[in-house]
Amino acid sequence: MAKITSGVGTSHVPAIGAAVDKGLTEQDYWKPLFNGYEKAREWIAKEKPDVCIVVYNDHASAFSLELIPTFAIGVAPEFMPADEGYGPRQVPPVKGHPKLAWHLCESLILNEFDITIANKMPVDHGLTVPLSIMYNQPEEWPCKVIPLAVNVIQYPQPLGTRCFALGQAIREAVASFDEDLKVCILGTGGMSHQLQGERAGLVNEEFDIAFLNDLTADPERLINMRHAEYLRESGSEGAELVMWLIMLGALEDPKEIHRTYHVPASNTGAGLIVLESK
Ligand code: DHB
Ligand code: FE
């Protein structure tokens, strides 16, 4: 049977991907951040998931204000890196797992989660940067990837409670897939950051560390946190953190294996946590 054995929460800052692409990771500015990623890279090289479900948000790349799915699952055999204005990132195409992705859609929709089915979905930095953080620059990504896009950029975004419940339903759906697969789920985005307005550049380290702590110490606090609190405490884009709660809900009795946190990465607090299911 398939099983979600682990979860990773990580920021998906585009500049981190650019640092990898341009070979800048040894520079003074970037080195401390990438040193912090080393243990996570060693961990995933040993863990070797067959499939990564990557929960991320599209930043007006595959979708626009014309069409705003709350939750969309990519069921295609391949997803191309999106052109976000500078040409697509020169990273390998992302290989999907159509059979498991369709199984997820069927199981979730019949379980009353109204998922949008995406047969074509270019994937932006929200998905490709976490892959670079975990796998660096391989010829091909070493796992199949199921993209799960969540609307966190246009009000009204889904609540933390809904995201956590979706994670729980994903855990059940994967467990009922009749093939031996080791699955890792990534929740991406955040941590604290605000890209526009008077508070642009806001980083709240205390909020971010408490968020990392409470993924295992007090998940109820995070699950019940409202959008207004994310906005006030972690900036307008800090609300991307609700996607980590989908990852959290998909794990059984999660145990923390590793974390790293570094400021600054572009204009954000960059965090990463590795959790394993019991
Ligand atoms: C930036 C963009 C993001 O989507 C994000 O999550 C963090 C930072 C940026 O443009 O700096
Ligand atoms: Fe983002």
Side-chain angles (χ1 to χ4, degrees), residues 223-278:
I223 293 163
N224 291 307
M225 200 189 304
R226 306 292 294 204
H227 293 131
E229 188 174 348
Y230 283 106
L231 256 66
R232 192 176 62 240
E233 301 298 328
S234 69
S236 51
E237 278 70 44
E240 289 183 339
L241 282 169
V242 293
M243 295 182 289
W244 292 38
L245 301 178
I246 298 177
M247 174 276 287
L248 190 65
L251 302 178
E252 194 178 346
D253 201 3
K255 190 173 104 193
E256 179 173 337
I257 303 299
H258 169 65
R259 75 160 75 171
T260 182
Y261 181 77
H262 179 77
V263 178
S266 182
N267 291 311
T268 77
L272 178 145
I273 195 163
V274 175
L275 302 169
E276 282 181 4
S277 279
K278 79 161 191 225

Side-chain angles (χ1 to χ4, degrees), residues 12-14 57 59 125-126 152-153 189-190 193 195 237 240 243:
H12 62 214
V13 184
N57 65 294
H59 305 74
H125 69 268
V152 295
I153 63 176
H193 64 297
L195 301 176
E237 278 70 44
E240 289 183 339
M243 295 182 289

